[in-house]
Amino acid sequence: WWYRTGFCEVGISPAENVAKEVREEIGLIVRPTHLIGITDSLKNGSPSRHIYSMLFACSIEGGEIAPSPLEALDARFFPFEKLPEPLHWPDPKWIARVREFHFRKKREAFFDPV
């Protein structure tokens, strides 16, 4: 289990990519509302490739959960205290940032320190 992900396509913005990936992968129409943070994979211990990850908060504006069989086996919402196991990439930093966003109303985007 993990949140929806995807690689950005050239020519469309990161927010447009988020909306496109969510629609293609699980059938929901979303509108990105906030940038929660950006991380550099090499600064987070990824040995395989160098990418920047951006995490957005989104509001659901339509559609229905209908996972694409080419992209996801299942899709559901879970309360924070009942996240399923195993998580695809159990990065506690992202989970902590999302908790801060939702419960503490922290709106400053996270980024790797200089």
Side-chain angles (χ1 to χ4, degrees):
W1 292 97
W2 202 232
Y3 50 81
R4 301 301 356 130
T5 63
F7 289 98
C8 286
E9 293 182 19
V10 174
I12 62 175
S13 73
E16 290 169 320
N17 271 286
V18 168
K20 179 185 78 61
E21 290 292 331
V22 172
R23 177 76 172 162
E24 289 175 357
E25 293 183 12
I26 61 170
L28 293 176
I29 299 167
V30 299
R31 181 176 50 86
T33 58
H34 292 87
L35 175 65
I36 295 174
I38 302 171
T39 60
D40 181 323
S41 64
L42 295 183
K43 293 185 185 284
N44 289 302
S46 173
S48 61
R49 61 182 166 204
H50 189 203
I51 60 173
Y52 293 113
S53 295
M54 294 179 256
L55 183 65
F56 286 85
C58 298
S59 63
I60 298 171
E61 301 203 332
E64 294 181 14
I65 293 178
S68 164
L70 299 175
E71 301 282 356
L73 298 174
D74 198 356
R76 299 183 213 169
F77 291 100
F78 298 94
F80 277 109
E81 63 278 1
K82 294 183 181 177
L83 292 175
E85 294 290 337
L87 293 175
H88 171 66
W89 183 28
D91 183 350
K93 183 183 348 178
W94 276 137
I95 294 169
R97 301 284 178 234
V98 171
R99 282 182 178 276
E100 290 173 349
F101 179 86
H102 282 289
F103 299 119
R104 296 192 186 113
K105 306 300 182 202
K106 182 177 179 182
R107 297 300 187 252
E108 301 83 28
F110 169 83
F111 51 89
D112 298 310
V114 176

